[in-house]
Amino acid sequence: MKPLHILILIMTITALLGATQALAATATANLSVSATVGSWARLDWPNPASLTFADSDPDNVSSIPASEGPVGVSAKARTGSSDMVTLTVTGTDLTSGGNTIAITNVSWTATGDFSSSGNITTGSQTVKSWTGPGTKRGNFSHALTNSWDYATGTYSGTVTYTLTAP
Amino acid sequence: MKVSPPFLTLIVLALMLWGVQPALAAVKVELGLSRGAINFPDADPDTTPSIPAAENPVLVTVKVSGNAGGDWRLTALASGDLVFGSHTIPISNVSWTAQPLPFIDGKLDKATPQVMASGTGNANSTGSLRLFFKNSWSYSTGNYSQVIIFTLSAP
């Protein structure tokens, strides 16, 4: 190819590139986005939050289920991925006047994500623990051990479930 | 000096393009944001399922000139997911509402630029964007961040 032809070719290519660049105009701007994700915990227990154990023949019904039946519970916790989340239970003895039925006669049975069972005590007991954020769901059932030894009366006490997340 | 027909064509084309360039280069675009950063504050996932940015609204100014007959487009592209250490939250959990037209609502994406506004010809518009972050119990705690690139192009 002759030098003049090469020069013309270069001019043409340059003109084409310049024209192309002139055809497209662009502008940019940046926006920094941040999100603060903090710790939260919530234990959802359906209302009314009460347990009732009906009177029963101790010979025929050795363990009295709560009249309310299984209740659906959800535990929500937002925490660090390696942080421990714990659901515990504690209770007070059942009293009627000067008479007492030890709270250890009340038991829980949990299903679903909370799969566990045990007898409630006046100290804190772990129902279930897990690691990291999320929502756990399951049903809780309670029962009272029946006995000929109980003095008659209408007894009451308190059972407290506590969800703890750092 | 003899010049073959093909190269004569090239000469004419080159001269035409050199002459036309000043006119073609007249397309101008200007893009402005009313702020360079926004933050979504912490909130209860049950009571605040969608968290508005504390700085809402963000104003976006679009100016296009010398673009007779040409299209223009404003897009937003995230540089990645929201990141905190080794933890990520999909950037698709950040969305926006926009007004007035031609600004439209959308959701951020890290792979495909999302159109925020578009039109034909020249433009001189200011859009009001409200950004929202989808809240969740499943996020690990932390301070997450990312950069969003707005691009205005014409034609």
Side-chain angles (χ1 to χ4, degrees), chain B residues 133-155:
Chain B
F133 174 50
K134 186 177 180 181
N135 207 353
S136 174
W137 284 101
S138 65
Y139 300 151
S140 292
T141 54
N143 294 309
Y144 294 76
S145 63
Q146 192 47 263
V147 175
I148 312 303
I149 302 174
F150 290 71
T151 302
L152 173 64
S153 58

Side-chain angles (χ1 to χ4, degrees), chain B residues 107-151:
Chain B
K107 185 167 61 175
L108 287 177
D109 191 271
K110 62 181 179 181
T112 305
Q114 300 297 296
V115 176
M116 283 191 149
S118 61
T120 301
N122 297 330
N124 187 359
S125 303
T126 297
S128 177
L129 305 183
R130 293 185 179 275
L131 293 103
F132 298 89
F133 174 50
K134 186 177 180 181
N135 207 353
S136 174
W137 284 101
S138 65
Y139 300 151
S140 292
T141 54
N143 294 309
Y144 294 76
S145 63
Q146 192 47 263
V147 175
I148 312 303
I149 302 174
F150 290 71
T151 302

Side-chain angles (χ1 to χ4, degrees), chain A residues 13-107:
Chain A
I13 292 171
T14 304
L16 279 169
L17 286 173
T20 302
Q21 290 170 356
L23 286 172
T26 303
T28 62
N30 290 353
L31 180 68
S32 296
V33 175
S34 62
T36 304
V37 179
S39 297
W40 294 87
R42 177 165 290 115
L43 181 64
D44 288 329
W45 199 283
N47 288 320
S50 60
L51 300 173
T52 306
F53 302 104
D55 182 35
S56 301
D57 180 346
D59 277 348
N60 295 331
V61 183
S62 59
S63 178
I64 309 170
S67 303
E68 292 77 9
V71 292
V73 175
S74 68
K76 304 172 187 176
R78 192 160 76 186
T79 184
S81 60
S82 57
D83 289 339
M84 183 74 71
V85 182
T86 305
L87 178 63
T88 60
V89 63
T90 186
T92 63
D93 289 334
L94 306 178
T95 61
S96 174
N99 299 312
T100 302
I101 296 175
I103 191 61
T104 53
N105 289 291
V106 177
S107 63

